[in-house]
Amino acid sequence: QVQLVESGGGLVQAGGSLRLSCAVSGTTFSINAIGWYRQAPGKPRELVGYISSGGSTHYSEPVKGRFTISRDNAKNTVYLQMNSLKPEDTAVYYCNKLITPWPWGQGTQVSVSS
């Protein structure tokens, strides 16, 4: 059974940085494109960006230039480096396979104060 465990969230001031991790177990991790998603209170879940199996990345406009996704296939882990954080980045962050998602993990809360 596939399990996703997100970690690294917390409370940070605007302009600060956080690095999120997503550990994936129970599947062949390296062949899949993995996305980072977020869900703010009262809003639908949105795709923040993704990394392909080959390491190519794509980002949504609100985070482009501030967020960086990377992966370590040896550790079955994907990372989300978030810099220059803004209050509007406040959300629960999740990772998942880009196409036909696995069961969702619990996510990790990111709160950015102004």
Side-chain angles (χ1 to χ4, degrees):
Q1 182 175 350
V2 179
Q3 186 174 17
L4 305 173
V5 179
E6 300 92 347
S7 62
L11 175 62
V12 63
Q13 288 187 332
S17 299
L18 284 173
R19 188 194 194 205
L20 307 185
S21 299
C22 166
V24 182
S25 60
T27 187
T28 306
F29 170 81
S30 61
I31 64 173
N32 292 293
I34 305 294
W36 276 100
Y37 301 79
R38 66 186 181 186
Q39 186 167 21
K43 295 186 177 181
R45 187 175 291 158
E46 63 174 352
L47 178 65
V48 172
Y50 66 86
I51 185 166
S52 72
S53 58
S56 300
T57 53
H58 174 85
Y59 303 95
S60 64
E61 284 300 322
V63 308
K64 195 175 293 184
R66 300 188 297 122
F67 290 11
T68 303
I69 299 173
S70 60
R71 67 190 298 162
D72 185 337
N73 289 337
K75 296 182 178 180
N76 279 17
T77 301
V78 177
Y79 304 97
L80 178 65
Q81 177 67 44
M82 304 186 296
N83 300 327
S84 302
L85 282 161
K86 304 176 180 180
E88 51 263 44
D89 295 320
T90 295
V92 179
Y93 284 72
Y94 304 85
C95 64
N96 212 322
K97 187 156 59 86
L98 193 63
I99 300 174
T100 57
W102 296 308
W104 292 89
Q106 83 288 349
T108 186
Q109 175 71 49
V110 172
S111 299
V112 184
S113 63
S114 56

